[in-house]
Amino acid sequence: AQTQRSLENFEIGNEKMPREVIYGFANLKKACALVNYELGRLDEQKKVAISKACESVLAGELDDEFPLVVWQTGSGTQSNMNMNEVVAHKAIEILGGDFAKDKLVHPNDDVNKGQSSNDTYPTAMRIAEVVAVVDDLIPAINQLKNTLEAKSKSFESIVKIGRTHLQDATPLTLGQELGGYVAMLDANLKQIDDALVYCKELAIGGTAVGTGLNSHPEFSLRVAQSLNNFMPKNYGFVSQPNKFHALTGHDAEVVLSGALKALAANLMKIANDIRWLASGPRCGIGEITIPENEPGSSIMPGKVNPTQAEAMTMVAVQVMGNDATVGFAASQGNFELNVFKPVIAYNILQSIKLLADAMRSFDKNCAVGIEPVREKIDGYLHNSLMLVTALNPYIGYEKAALIAKTAYKNGTTLREEAISLGLLSGEEFDKYVKPEEMISPKA
């Protein structure tokens, strides 16, 4: 009944409640049934039926029974009752009854026993967030990181010119450049892991306003332990110590979203670098090649574009927008309850999904195929005026700058002008300016 009322009252948009939240609810309702049975608050027959009904939800057998949109009550009450009703009806069916007339399992009195939408929805969304990060996002980060790490090692002896401010700078290796990307993703993994500490804290047991009215003193702790015991892996869920904070605050989601935004920022940088370095084929930088996956233009024959980089950068800006929504929504905890929970969950989970998918796609269709163009790399390297930096310790900054400016003005090489200006002999220049020796500090 409440599900139908929600469908009629909230005809807003097409954004359905994320499937991850639905499955988070199913895991939670199963855990609650098991714990209520342990505490003597639910009989064994109902416990078994509710558990099996939840397992049917988790198997995807009842996906069509969850039609509600994100744009509903800010506590997620309609989605909680949607789950309660679906599980109760399925449990009645399991017990051999007809849910239309037999009330063998009640959605509120049995499935929702000792619970409120105000503590179940934030718990379901936390379960969804942790599972999505652990099972989807982290493996995707590692997949891309491992590819870039292998490329970095493969290219560690290829010396190239560096660039700062979009201008020529001193040399580094292509391996060092890609190694910076690897370090970025390593940092992102640590930041996300730190954020998960707070997301593993569950609100269940707080019921309506955080006092735990109609619950049991051991309920929250036992539900967290139950989830860790029967879910596919131990995700480390714990009872949030202060349930008033749990119901009204979503700073954990702000921290997680911030970590996702940091990942998006790094992916934006990586994708932009790769497409710039691969730009061309004749009039760009062209230091690397990337896979030619599909025609790039409907009018220019033979054109191939860096589409994987473009897709990943679009994902990055979407994640940054999602982060703004999460921050605003989390700030709206009035008194004992934040009533922006569904939109927080929707944006967090969308960010996780987009980032994971984009990294896998970028890895499979771009990163694995990165190859150096040695001729271009060497040409830029040996024609760069910034190699003059190696002369600073020998002739000083001012004289080195004179050589660079004169070479630029005359269209000549650094070596030619060093000799012409009488500052160095050819032999001295060759001794001091060795790009391969400019890629690390010296004692």
Side-chain angles (χ1 to χ4, degrees):
Q2 292 207 39
T3 301
Q4 185 58 38
R5 278 196 289 272
S6 181
L7 282 173
E8 294 170 359
N9 292 339
F10 298 99
E11 296 180 296
I12 306 172
N14 299 313
E15 293 81 11
K16 302 294 184 185
M17 188 61 62
R19 195 62 53 199
E20 298 93 334
V21 173
I22 301 303
Y23 295 160
F25 260 122
N27 277 306
L28 176 60
K29 295 298 179 178
K30 178 180 176 179
C32 289
L34 295 175
V35 171
N36 278 323
Y37 169 73
E38 292 172 4
L39 295 171
R41 293 157 61 91
L42 191 70
D43 67 46
E44 184 173 12
Q45 186 181 51
K46 289 181 179 180
K47 176 216 42 170
V48 172
I50 291 172
S51 296
K52 288 183 177 179
C54 292
E55 289 164 6
S56 293
V57 174
L58 292 167
E61 297 170 8
L62 303 175
D63 283 357
D64 292 341
E65 302 300 321
F66 300 97
L68 302 187
V69 294
V70 170
W71 319 111
Q72 53 170 277
T73 178
S75 61
T77 298
Q78 279 81 34
S79 284
N80 180 40
M81 283 308 304
N82 185 187
M83 178 61 66
N84 290 335
E85 290 172 349
V86 170
V87 170
H89 292 168
K90 183 63 178 178
I92 291 169
E93 179 185 300
I94 289 169
L95 293 173
D98 179 354
F99 72 81
K101 57 184 180 181
D102 298 321
K103 303 302 179 185
L104 302 176
V105 177
H106 195 278
N108 296 79
D109 296 336
D110 297 317
V111 182
N112 201 60
K113 181 178 287 292
Q115 306 154 54
S116 163
S117 298
N118 296 352
D119 66 348
T120 57
Y121 191 93
T123 299
M125 67 187 273
R126 289 277 172 91
I127 294 170
E129 291 158 5
V130 171
V131 170
V133 168
V134 172
D135 291 353
D136 195 23
L137 183 65
I138 289 176
I141 297 173
N142 280 318
Q143 179 180 331
L144 178 58
K145 181 175 78 79
N146 291 341
T147 294
L148 293 174
E149 190 167 26
K151 291 290 182 182
S152 176
K153 291 177 180 177
S154 176
F155 303 153
E156 63 185 1
S157 64
I158 301 175
V159 181
K160 54 161 288 184
I161 201 64
R163 296 177 178 87
T164 60
H165 305 274
L166 297 181
Q167 304 295 309
D168 300 349
T170 55
L172 76 167
T173 70
L174 184 57
Q176 287 173 322
E177 194 163 42
L178 268 62
Y181 308 158
V182 174
M184 286 179 177
L185 296 179
D186 266 331
N188 289 134
L189 284 168
K190 293 174 184 175
Q191 292 157 2
I192 290 167
D193 195 51
D194 288 343
L196 282 183
V197 172
Y198 307 102
C199 291
K200 292 176 182 179
E201 296 179 345
L202 305 182
I204 193 67
T207 65
V209 298
T211 61
L213 177 67
N214 291 347
S215 187
H216 185 283
E218 298 177 17
F219 188 68
S220 181
L221 179 61
R222 289 196 184 204
V223 168
Q225 291 173 339
S226 181
L227 288 165
N228 292 331
N229 289 337
F230 74 71
M231 288 183 70
K233 65 181 68 167
N234 185 339
Y235 291 96
F237 294 117
V238 297
S239 172
Q240 189 157 348
N242 189 301
K243 296 299 187 289
F244 304 103
H245 176 202
L247 269 59
T248 199
H250 281 289
D251 42 340
E253 278 73 22
V254 174
V255 172
L256 175 58
S257 185
L260 298 177
K261 182 173 69 173
L263 172 59
N266 281 344
L267 293 176
M268 174 74 84
K269 181 267 191 300
I270 291 168
N272 277 336
D273 278 7
I274 295 300
R275 62 176 166 177
W276 272 111
L277 290 173
S279 61
R282 293 189 175 179
C283 301
I285 294 176
E287 288 186 344
I288 63 173
T289 60
I290 56 178
E292 299 179 358
N293 295 320
E294 65 275 311
S297 174
S298 61
I299 189 172
M300 292 175 278
K303 193 171 190 292
V304 178
N305 295 331
T307 52
Q308 290 296 317
E310 291 168 4
M312 194 153 77
T313 55
M314 285 194 290
V315 164
V317 297
Q318 180 66 52
V319 170
M320 292 174 186
N322 288 354
D323 176 68
T325 298
V326 171
F328 284 125
S331 72
Q332 300 303 304
N334 297 322
F335 302 111
E336 279 63 63
L337 187 67
N338 177 292
V339 290
F340 286 74
K341 299 182 191 301
V343 75
I344 293 173
Y346 179 81
N347 280 275
I348 288 269
L349 292 167
Q350 185 191 63
S351 291
I352 293 169
K353 176 66 172 171
L354 288 175
L355 288 167
D357 285 351
M359 284 186 288
R360 281 190 292 265
S361 181
F362 186 82
D363 177 68
K364 176 184 176 183
N365 298 304
C366 182
V368 295
I370 293 172
E371 294 297 337
V373 181
R374 301 287 187 121
E375 298 80 8
K376 276 283 184 74
I377 289 173
D378 289 344
Y380 289 137
L381 175 66
H382 294 291
N383 196 42
S384 174
L385 299 176
M386 291 304 99
L387 295 181
V388 77
T389 307
L391 297 177
N392 287 356
Y394 305 102
I395 63 174
Y397 181 93
E398 298 295 339
K399 291 179 180 178
L402 177 63
I403 293 173
K405 290 177 181 178
T406 306
Y408 180 68
K409 178 182 178 181
N410 295 336
T412 53
T413 66
L414 295 172
R415 189 177 192 277
E416 289 170 336
E417 293 303 337
I419 296 170
S420 176
L421 292 167
L423 297 173
L424 291 169
S425 66
E427 292 76 13
E428 288 173 322
F429 183 92
D430 293 340
K431 178 181 178 182
Y432 299 147
V433 181
K434 294 181 178 179
E436 66 276 9
E437 295 182 2
M438 297 174 66
I439 60 173
S440 62
K442 293 181 180 179

